[in-house]
Amino acid sequence: MTHSRSLSHHRVTLSDGTQFDVAPGQTLLQAALSAGLEWPNGCRVGLCGSCRCKITSGQVKALTDFSDVISQADLTQGHVLACRCQLESAIDVSSDELYGRLAPDDADIDATITHIDWVTPLVQLIEVELDHPHPHGYAGGQYTRLEVPGVVPPRCFSFANACRGDGRLRFLVRVFPGGRLGEWLSQEDRCGQRLRVGRPLGHFLFRDHHRPALFFAGGTGLAPILAMLEELASLPAAQHPQVRVVFAARDQQHLFHRRFLEPIVNRWAIGTSIDFVSVLSREPRPSSWKGLRGHFFEHLALLTAGFENADTYLCGPPGLVDAMKFYLVKRGFDRTRISADRFLPSTS
C-alpha cells in the first residue's frame, strides 16, 4: 500500500511494505496518522513513549532529547519517538515491533467519580471507579487520559495510587484558568458523574528496588511518585529501598504531601530509611515556617546527602524538571540514572 507523494517529501517504508510520505515540518507521527495508519500514540509531546519505533535505515532529526523515555541501548539500536522527530531522508521502519503494541483490548473504559476533595486551594483529589478493571492493570508512574464525553476532551493525568486490581483510581487535578477538567470539577459537585478512562501510558517507572531512590516533585507531580511508593510499600520488607521525597510548593497552604506520604511511611520496613523534605518558594516572611525556602537547586548538597548514588526521579512542571536535571548532572549525578516526567498544562 502506497500513499500519495509530492516533491520535497521524504518517504517512509514499513517492513510490511506500507509506504507513506512526510512533508517538511511534519513529525513522523503526524504523517503516519494523516495517512490513516494505526500508529500507537498517547501524549504526542514526547513524554509517554507510546509512539516509539525502530528506524532500520535513513536519518531523522530529534526535536527533543529522547533519553528520558528511551534507554541508551535502544537509542543506539535506532529507536526514536515518532511524535518528536522529523525526517532528513527516506527511512525504513520495523512494523513488527510497532504493530505488536496495538492491543485489541486497549479501549477506553467508562467510570464513575466517587469522591472529590480539595487538598489545597488549587489542587483537587478525585477518586474514580471503573465499570471493570483494565485487563492489564497499570504500573506506578504511568498516566492515562480522562475524558467527559461532549464536555471535557481527553486530558492526561498520572495515576496517584498503585494498581490494586479493583478498578479504583486516584488522580490529582490542578485547577487553573483554561484547565478544562479542573474548571468542570469546580463548577458543582461532580460525584456520580460519568467519565471515560483511557489505557495506561508512559515509561516513567521505578527502576530497581536494590538501589536508593531520590524523588523530586513539584505540585501535582507528586501523583506518579505516590503510585510508585505505594507499589514499593506492598513488597516484602526486605525489598524496601532507602527513599527520600523532596516536595516543592509555593507556600504552606499548598503543602499537601504529608497527607499521602505518612501512611506510606508507616508501612515501610523498620530500619530502612524513608523521609520527606519540603521546600517553599514563595512563603511570606515572617511566618511560622521553619523549613527550607527557595528552590531545589539552592539546597542540593543538603537534599542529596546520602543519596549520591541513588536512582533519581523528577516530576513536575518542565522548567522545574529541566533545571533540576541540569544541576544534578552538574553535581556529578549519572544522567542515565535520572528519570523525568514533565507535566504540561492541558488547556482548551
Side-chain angles (χ1 to χ4, degrees), residues 292-311:
L292 299 176
R293 295 172 180 263
H295 300 283
F296 286 154
F297 53 83
E298 298 176 67
H299 306 284
L300 271 189
L302 175 64
L303 296 175
T304 61
F307 286 83
E308 291 81 1
N309 295 312
D311 287 339

Side-chain angles (χ1 to χ4, degrees), residues 56 65 68 111 132 152 161 171 180 190 210 281 312 331 336:
T56 56
D65 181 5
D68 287 339
H132 59 85
V152 179
N161 64 309
F171 301 94
R180 296 284 292 276
R190 300 296 187 183
H210 294 102
S281 60
T312 307
R331 190 166 180 81
T336 65

Side-chain angles (χ1 to χ4, degrees), residues 133-304:
H134 191 279
H136 303 300
Y138 62 88
Q142 288 192 295
Y143 69 92
T144 187
R145 287 186 285 193
L146 303 181
E147 176 186 7
V148 183
V151 180
V152 179
R155 294 291 186 257
C156 297
F157 293 91
S158 290
F159 298 102
N161 64 309
C163 181
R164 296 187 288 263
D166 58 3
R168 296 179 181 178
L169 311 175
R170 283 183 165 188
F171 301 94
L172 294 174
V173 179
R174 186 166 72 93
V175 179
F176 62 97
R180 296 284 292 276
L181 183 61
E183 289 184 337
W184 178 78
L185 288 169
S186 304
Q187 290 168 358
E188 59 183 80
D189 183 6
R190 300 296 187 183
C191 284
Q193 291 279 346
R194 302 285 283 169
L195 76 167
R196 192 166 291 159
V197 180
R199 63 188 176 94
L201 300 166
H203 296 272
F204 183 64
L205 307 173
F206 193 80
R207 294 188 174 193
D208 188 347
H209 62 78
H210 294 102
R211 291 200 294 261
L214 179 60
F215 297 93
F216 290 91
T220 55
L222 185 65
I225 293 172
L226 291 174
M228 288 186 195
L229 291 176
E230 280 194 10
E231 278 188 359
L232 289 171
S234 68
L235 296 175
Q239 297 182 32
H240 291 177
Q242 180 186 4
V243 167
R244 173 170 295 157
V245 180
V246 186
F247 182 69
R250 296 181 181 183
D251 49 42
Q252 291 190 70
Q253 69 172 338
H254 291 93
L255 284 177
F256 62 88
H257 62 303
R258 286 183 175 274
R259 165 179 174 175
F260 299 102
L261 288 173
E262 286 180 346
I264 296 173
V265 171
N266 292 336
R267 296 168 58 191
W268 220 252
I270 297 175
T272 303
S273 171
I274 177 171
D275 60 33
F276 47 88
V277 184
S278 307
V279 183
L280 302 185
S281 60
R282 302 180 191 175
E283 176 68 11
R285 295 178 186 273
S287 77
S288 61
W289 179 247
K290 305 299 183 184
L292 299 176
R293 295 172 180 263
H295 300 283
F296 286 154
F297 53 83
E298 298 176 67
H299 306 284
L300 271 189
L302 175 64
L303 296 175
T304 61

